[in-house]
Amino acid sequence: MPNVGKPSKDCHLCRSRRVKCDLTRPACNRCIKYGAECPGYRDQQELVFRNVNPTNLKKRKKRSQQDRTRQGSTASPTTTAGHSTPSAFLGDDFENSLLLSNSSDVIPFSGDRTALILPQSLNQHWTAHSIPILLNVYSTLDFLHDIYRENTENGPLVWAAHLFSRTYVTNIRHSTAMNKDSVTETDKELGSYLGKTLSSVNIALKTPNGAFRDDVLATVWILSNYELLMGSIGRSEPMSPWHVHTRGLYSILKTRGSDWLRRENNGRAGFWPAYNMVQVQCLLTSTECPPESQEWFRVIEETMQPGEIIGLKVSIFIAQVAHVQARILTILRGRNFIAASAEYHALVGVMSEAEDDMRAFYMSRPSSGTDFDPYMRNMYASTCVKGYHILMAFSNFLTHHIASPIPLSTLKALRIRCIQLVRKFAQEIVDSTERTLNYKTFSNNPSPRVLFDALKLIWPLTAVYLIPTTLPEQKDMAEKSLRFIGRELGVRQALKVYPEANPFPDEANEPLDLIKDEDYEEVPNPTGLM
């Protein structure tokens, strides 16, 4: 209910001890002086709302009604001392807040505001909720759940959970922040937890077996996802925090080597989330996948575990396309017509071989329409969107080389086919997004579990939105989804999608007028690609 008195702003420990707090943030000096860990301060809601006990609330209402009867009051029972009732106040900020029951499960707001009156939860410091919130977001990632069960003491994982969960809740409630001071205090708090997380990871990595600790690998992976929440990814800024964390993931995987993948106790459960993030960086920066990739693929193929085949096939495809796009961009940026002509058949051949392998794999699995993991399918589709766009630019470039041995008719056919494939796979991403992000369902039940699905859509939607070859209506749908993810789910990276400087020379942007075909959309797909 509304707190009509003057609530104490002291930290939780000083208030429980009934001593004066100096209000220093993020930890007060009194707690530090006596060697106690400062539990932090009240959230803004706790300064506005008083903890409600249902029994006392009924007694209070009864006394209030008796007073009004004696006084002959005609005041509305829905107002008290000029304040709205609890149900009216539990709307703006509480509507997006997450509280915990005794079962440590996260309860999202579902329209029943009385469900938010949880006295025990309101008495706890928010850090008591951070790990359950994070595990609720990643409810399908068994690897993360297992590691948190094994690591309960303060360490990299705990600090990472505080950082991620606080950022998530803050982003969700950012538009309803009550004042500038609360935003500043939150930023300071997040900075403190980020510093503790990074410090604990650095200390762990300096130990002999630091890189082999699963909690360290999981922490760096959480940090990379935290940067998505913060919106710090810059494709033209390789030293941005997300790129640093992703390179850290690769460094850990490299240090572990391939023997680690043979461990019987599910040694590679953490490999796939980390390696997938590394591959996203390669696609984003148009660089090749790690040189160790082929060795890792070989070991995984030799010791295949249930459910791994799809991830393996898609990762192999991504590595092949990453190689082609990295080489093509090097040729285009150097305006090297001779190298373009000499390597044309080899580069197109790698793309065709990768494409044939994926088609054969897809056709060999009649049920692939239902068991093909949506995330890996979108990773495959977004790789095709960018890969075929770059291949189209390659064909454009060669049309301007008078001495090229590649016939113009061949280049024209390649260009048309690439454009068709870009739009085909862009539409697949758009359709998949509409199934994954049900806007109406989320509005009725904004579960944090939707966040993980949204994080996995950032790169595919970004590819559809930014690649020039996609259709305008596809870009519009991608933009709509990105805005929803950014505004409703609190993933700020979705709101920071900007086109980078054109990496191509002029010859790669447009082909010779001689091979342009305004009706290319009607040309049938010559390969019958899935």
Side-chain angles (χ1 to χ4, degrees):
M1 65 179 292
N3 194 340
V4 297
K6 185 176 181 181
S8 170
K9 295 183 179 181
D10 295 350
C11 78
H12 295 286
L13 189 56
C14 289
R15 284 194 298 109
S16 66
R17 291 176 173 174
R18 297 183 180 277
V19 296
K20 181 65 176 177
C21 178
D22 61 11
L23 304 180
T24 302
R25 295 177 184 269
C28 76
N29 290 324
R30 181 179 287 274
C31 288
I32 295 174
K33 178 180 179 181
Y34 291 101
E37 181 178 355
C38 182
Y41 298 85
R42 283 175 162 179
D43 195 7
Q44 194 65 40
Q45 280 84 5
E46 292 189 67
L47 299 178
V48 178
F49 301 101
R50 180 178 293 145
N51 207 11
V52 177
N53 181 298
T55 302
N56 292 340
L57 182 60
K58 290 181 181 179
K59 292 180 180 179
R60 192 176 296 115
K61 285 183 177 180
K62 185 176 181 180
R63 287 197 303 270
S64 178
Q65 290 174 353
Q66 292 173 346
D67 291 343
R68 282 195 297 270
T69 300
R70 287 195 300 268
Q71 298 172 6
S73 172
T74 59
S76 171
T78 60
T79 58
T80 303
H83 294 278
S84 301
T85 60
S87 62
F89 266 83
L90 291 174
D92 295 336
D93 285 345
F94 267 76
E95 188 162 325
N96 286 321
S97 64
L98 301 171
L99 302 176
L100 298 177
S101 67
N102 291 333
S103 63
S104 297
D105 190 18
V106 176
I107 302 177
F109 178 79
S110 58
D112 181 9
R113 286 171 176 156
T114 60
L116 291 173
I117 303 176
L118 301 174
Q120 292 181 350
S121 297
L122 290 174
N123 282 333
Q124 293 177 333
H125 188 244
W126 70 265
T127 52
H129 311 326
S130 58
I131 292 178
I133 288 176
L134 184 140
L135 294 182
N136 197 299
V137 170
Y138 297 110
S139 59
T140 59
L141 204 60
D142 294 338
F143 165 70
L144 208 56
H145 287 248
D146 292 341
I147 293 179
Y148 269 100
R149 274 193 289 268
E150 298 169 0
N151 296 268
T152 58
E153 298 180 359
N154 279 357
L157 269 179
V158 174
W159 295 123
H162 295 340
L163 176 67
F164 181 93
S165 300
R166 182 59 164 163
T167 303
Y168 166 57
V169 176
T170 298
N171 285 1
I172 288 286
R173 296 173 47 219
H174 182 70
S175 60
T176 59
M178 298 189 68
N179 54 57
K180 185 177 180 180
D181 289 341
S182 65
V183 175
T184 302
E185 291 173 2
T186 298
D187 289 343
K188 289 181 179 179
E189 192 172 24
L190 289 175
S192 173
Y193 282 112
L194 176 60
K196 291 176 180 178
T197 306
L198 294 175
S199 176
S200 59
V201 168
N202 289 332
I203 292 173
L205 288 175
K206 290 178 181 179
T207 61
N209 295 318
F212 291 87
R213 285 173 49 180
D214 286 340
D215 65 318
V216 174
L217 178 66
T219 298
V220 180
W221 183 81
I222 293 172
L223 283 170
S224 65
N225 283 273
Y226 155 77
E227 297 299 342
L228 285 173
L229 294 181
M230 294 298 291
S232 65
I233 300 178
R235 289 179 297 159
S236 59
E237 299 177 10
M239 291 306 295
S240 70
W242 183 82
H243 289 282
V244 172
H245 298 325
T246 307
R247 286 198 296 273
L249 289 174
Y250 164 55
S251 178
I252 292 174
L253 296 180
K254 181 179 179 180
T255 301
R256 292 186 171 196
S258 58
D259 289 340
W260 164 70
L261 296 174
R262 300 180 185 275
R263 284 186 354 190
E264 293 182 359
N265 58 340
N266 207 17
R268 57 174 175 256
F271 171 81
W272 287 114
Y275 185 72
N276 289 158
M277 193 72 74
V278 171
Q279 285 200 312
V280 169
Q281 184 190 39
C282 294
L283 293 173
L284 205 60
T285 57
S286 298
T287 55
E288 296 207 38
C289 290
E292 298 84 4
S293 296
Q294 297 305 316
E295 173 66 12
W296 294 339
F297 295 155
R298 184 184 63 79
V299 172
I300 291 173
E301 198 163 13
E302 292 175 354
T303 58
M304 189 72 66
Q305 297 177 3
E308 281 191 313
I309 182 63
I310 292 177
L312 176 63
K313 289 293 184 180
V314 173
S315 293
I316 291 173
F317 177 81
I318 292 174
Q320 292 171 312
V321 175
H323 165 72
V324 171
Q325 73 173 18
R327 182 57 189 152
I328 287 178
L329 280 175
T330 299
I331 292 173
L332 295 182
R333 287 167 176 165
R335 298 185 75 251
N336 192 336
F337 286 104
I338 296 176
S341 297
E343 298 184 40
Y344 171 84
H345 292 292
L347 293 173
V348 173
V350 172
M351 284 289 290
S352 297
E353 182 180 352
E355 172 186 307
D356 291 342
D357 288 345
M358 282 301 298
R359 181 168 64 251
F361 168 71
Y362 186 83
M363 298 302 292
S364 68
R365 301 174 65 86
S367 62
S368 57
T370 57
D371 69 357
F372 208 124
D373 177 72
Y375 170 64
M376 297 312 300
R377 182 69 193 187
N378 275 333
M379 282 291 292
Y380 166 63
S382 57
T383 303
C384 290
V385 168
K386 185 174 183 184
Y388 285 115
H389 172 71
I390 290 180
L391 195 59
M392 181 208 67
F394 190 51
S395 67
N396 291 345
F397 181 73
L398 276 170
T399 64
H400 295 275
H401 183 33
I402 299 176
S404 174
I406 315 300
L408 287 179
S409 58
T410 300
L411 295 174
K412 178 179 179 178
L414 176 62
R415 177 176 182 271
I416 292 173
R417 181 168 169 274
C418 287
I419 294 175
Q420 289 178 330
L421 291 175
V422 166
R423 294 174 178 177
K424 168 185 167 53
F425 286 106
Q427 189 61 45
E428 184 174 309
I429 293 171
V430 169
D431 293 341
S432 172
T433 302
E434 291 180 343
R435 293 191 297 268
T436 302
L437 292 180
N438 189 318
Y439 306 135
K440 184 176 180 180
T441 300
F442 178 80
S443 299
N444 295 332
N445 183 21
S447 170
R449 299 181 183 184
V450 180
L451 179 62
F452 192 22
D453 293 329
L455 289 171
K456 292 184 288 188
L457 285 169
I458 296 297
W459 159 242
L461 289 172
T462 299
V464 174
Y465 182 65
L466 292 182
I467 294 298
T469 322
T470 58
L471 293 170
E473 53 266 32
Q474 293 171 340
K475 295 181 187 295
D476 291 342
M477 291 301 298
E479 181 182 17
K480 176 185 176 182
S481 298
L482 287 169
R483 289 186 181 277
F484 175 81
I485 292 172
R487 293 174 177 174
E488 301 298 328
L489 303 183
V491 185
R492 295 182 182 177
Q493 187 60 44
L495 301 176
K496 297 184 178 182
V497 178
Y498 307 110
E500 65 178 355
N502 186 1
F504 302 148
D506 292 339
E507 295 91 341
N509 293 321
E510 292 290 340
L512 284 179
D513 291 338
L514 183 63
I515 74 165
K516 284 186 177 180
D517 187 345
E518 300 300 332
D519 297 325
Y520 64 83
E521 295 91 345
E522 302 300 325
V523 177
N525 185 349
T527 65
L529 186 66
M530 59 175 176

